[in-house]
Amino acid sequence: MALDVRGLTPLLQVYDMPTSVRFYREVLGFQVVSTSPKFGPDRFHWAMLRLGDAELMLNTAYESDEERPAVPEATRVAAHDDTGLFLGCANVDEAYEELSGKGIPVKEPLVTGYGMKQMYVRDPDGYALCFQWPAKH
């Protein structure tokens, strides 16, 4: 018998919570639905975000600002290449126009050999976000 799973919510470790929250909320349109105790505007250690049926959790990679290095650690950011989030997006071209219109560096949509129209963007921590939908033939 298969497990009765009702969703999947990735957890990403982020360098700077306010920057990450603003990107996901103001650029992509996610809503902050829950957080750990707040220390100030967009300042907390953990947050649950939601956009449509997609959920995502963000967690600070460092317990305090004193522990956080002045710049992101190159090895940590390089390791983010191993993580990609694929979001179902019914109109990839429209999403491209929206994000590029906001000045976000985004790659133009393309159709893969397996029939998915995809567009990639990176979040402030270097995680790859792919907006995709089956291409119309």
Side-chain angles (χ1 to χ4, degrees), residues 112-132:
T112 67
Y114 48 89
M116 296 298 285
K117 187 169 213 174
Q118 296 180 330
M119 173 199 65
Y120 284 87
V121 65
R122 295 239 176 220
D123 82 353
D125 289 276
Y127 293 106
L129 307 176
C130 177
F131 294 82
Q132 69 173 8

Side-chain angles (χ1 to χ4, degrees), residues 5 15-16 19 32 37 44 47 80 94 124 137:
V5 175
Y15 172 75
D16 181 80
T19 299
V32 177
F44 26 78
H80 295 171
E94 198 173 272
H137 297 284

